[in-house]
Amino acid sequence: YQRRVHGTAEMPDMYAEDEYDIAGFTVGAVEKAKLIDGSKVKVGDLLIGLPSSGIHSNGFSLVRKVILKDHHLDLQQHYPELNGKLGEVLLTPTRIYVKPVLELLQMVDVHAICHITGGGFDENIPRVLKERQGVEINE
């Protein structure tokens, strides 16, 4: 099974002409028989959510717009609800979810996996559901 994903981040307001950014990525492989494609999803399955460590890479364009351009928030300001200065919280490294997902795969028969991106729950979870299926999420 092979899937190609590419993208280019265009951020002209972020970098000067002679500046550049270095980014890393990971590549994985799976045997076709072990592919988790959502085909086993059925009524009564349990949805398990992993906590996020904060804003991840795909969200920073929107965050910069809202925090810096729209609201002109001070990155040095301490926010009690964030337990720290805004700028420091934004620099929290992105959590890599491989280890907890691999542990879960060893414990249970996982029927689907969703990567919750910019579309949130509403756009990402339905991708693994069959027609007339839904989910109930309790905090």
Side-chain angles (χ1 to χ4, degrees), residues 11-24:
M11 300 181 291
D13 62 326
M14 191 68 191
Y15 302 107
E17 188 173 321
D18 294 333
E19 292 181 338
Y20 60 92
D21 188 11
I22 297 175

Side-chain angles (χ1 to χ4, degrees), residues 51-57 59-60 63 89-90 92-95 97 116:
S52 172
S53 61
I55 299 164
H56 294 346
S57 58
F60 273 102
V63 168
V89 171
L90 291 174
T92 301
T94 298
R95 180 176 180 204
Y97 299 90
I116 307 301

